[in-house]
Amino acid sequence: MDSSKNFFAWFSFMAALAMAVASRLPYDEVKMNGAWEDAHATFYGDMSGGETMQGACGYGDLKRQGYGLETAALSTALFNNGSTCGACFEIICVNDPQWCLKGAGSIKITATNFCPPNYTKSKDIWCNPPQKHFDLSMPMFVKLAPSKAGIIPVRYRRILCSKQGGVKFEVKGNPNWTLVLVYNVGGAGDVTAVQVKGSSTGWLPMSRNWGQNWQTGTVLLGQGLSFQVTTSDGKTLLFDNVAPRNWQFGQTFQGRRNF
């Protein structure tokens, strides 16, 4: 009886794995290496990039956390209620001989913020739906066009993110509520699901609080923590024993792997 149960469990796991792999192939081939799409780009802040820190994805100090100034705020059509946070894009300036810099090539950025719509205006409404728009840091914008251009037509496509070191987990909250910021994610970059396991619990699904901050109401203080992270291409990695039993709120822990 036990052997038949084990066989059924193994068969179910392999079937699920096969379906996941099959469903992932079109994403890898099309979404990450697909045709260029049209959009526009502006910039915010100055050359120091100070105004581009923080943001709606919850990453905090982008320089300290490895994102630097190679970032952008996305319009409503691209931001997807925060689900696109962490995704990487390649952008080129097109169809504007006056402003596109000759030989500029492309820039590569990570989505770290939201460019909010403004429904009180009738013009310059670049971030209103359904428009696809990137509000870049000034240092990234001037790689494509001079700052006096203001707004430029661009083409963009999703690309794989390349990050140094392992995925990082910043643990925040209080004794009754744990909030985890998942960042420095390579591969697809945008996290779609997180599970946490304490040394005294089973696997617990976490819900998205905002941006890439994930929460659980289960008490985890005093337990070692492990995580499972899934990105938008369906890939899942296990990060076992990331935080020791004596972890404290405000600490950051780095996994030994990345996508």
Side-chain angles (χ1 to χ4, degrees):
M1 185 67 177
D2 289 342
S3 60
S4 63
K5 285 184 178 180
N6 290 338
F7 175 78
F8 179 76
W10 174 85
F11 181 82
S12 299
F13 171 77
M14 293 303 292
L17 181 62
M19 290 178 65
V21 171
S23 65
R24 190 165 70 231
L25 289 177
Y27 182 98
D28 290 336
E29 293 174 358
V30 178
K31 191 169 184 180
M32 289 301 176
N33 299 293
W36 294 89
E37 298 186 48
D38 292 323
H40 284 83
T42 51
F43 68 90
Y44 66 116
D46 56 22
M47 287 299 289
S48 72
E51 292 182 31
T52 65
M53 298 296 106
Q54 308 300 323
C57 290
Y59 292 126
D61 188 329
L62 299 176
K63 289 183 179 178
R64 181 175 63 84
Q65 295 186 338
Y67 293 99
L69 300 176
E70 298 175 348
T71 62
L74 306 188
S75 64
T76 303
L78 294 172
F79 190 67
N80 197 22
N81 294 319
S83 297
T84 311
C85 289
C88 295
F89 296 86
E90 183 176 13
I91 301 172
I92 56 175
C93 184
V94 295
N95 301 327
D96 194 338
Q98 180 183 4
W99 297 122
C100 292
L101 296 176
K102 283 188 177 181
S106 65
I107 61 171
K108 298 176 180 179
I109 59 91
T110 302
T112 59
N113 204 353
F114 176 50
C115 183
N118 186 341
Y119 298 109
T120 66
K121 299 171 66 177
S122 59
K123 62 178 183 178
D124 299 340
I125 50 173
W126 308 309
C127 290
N128 288 26
Q131 299 185 93
K132 296 178 178 180
H133 190 88
F134 295 87
D135 204 13
L136 304 167
S137 68
M138 187 176 181
M140 297 308 292
F141 184 90
V142 298
K143 289 179 181 290
L144 300 177
S147 60
K148 61 184 178 180
I151 181 171
I152 54 174
V154 298
R155 287 189 181 138
Y156 74 95
R157 64 180 178 180
R158 280 287 300 270
I159 59 171
L160 292 172
C161 300
S162 178
K163 304 300 180 186
Q164 298 295 316
V167 172
K168 296 183 180 180
F169 304 85
E170 182 180 353
V171 185
K172 299 172 282 188
N174 59 53
N176 299 310
W177 173 71
T178 304
L179 185 71
V180 179
L181 169 65
V182 183
Y183 69 102
N184 196 52
V185 180
D190 47 345
V191 175
T192 57
V194 179
Q195 294 189 72
V196 62
K197 185 171 79 69
S199 49
S200 300
T201 74
W203 285 106
L204 305 168
M206 304 186 79
S207 60
R208 189 190 301 273
N209 183 287
W210 64 289
Q212 288 298 357
N213 287 277
W214 298 79
Q215 66 184 2
T216 179
T218 301
V219 175
L220 295 172
L221 199 60
Q223 300 182 52
L225 302 180
S226 300
F227 295 94
Q228 285 185 7
V229 177
T230 302
T231 49
S232 65
D233 55 357
K235 295 179 181 177
T236 299
L237 287 183
L238 169 64
F239 300 89
D240 201 20
N241 300 317
V242 171
R245 291 178 179 269
N246 62 346
W247 62 267
Q248 300 294 317
F249 293 109
Q251 290 184 307
T252 297
F253 303 94
Q254 181 169 310
R256 292 184 290 273
R257 314 170 66 188
N258 214 321
F259 290 88

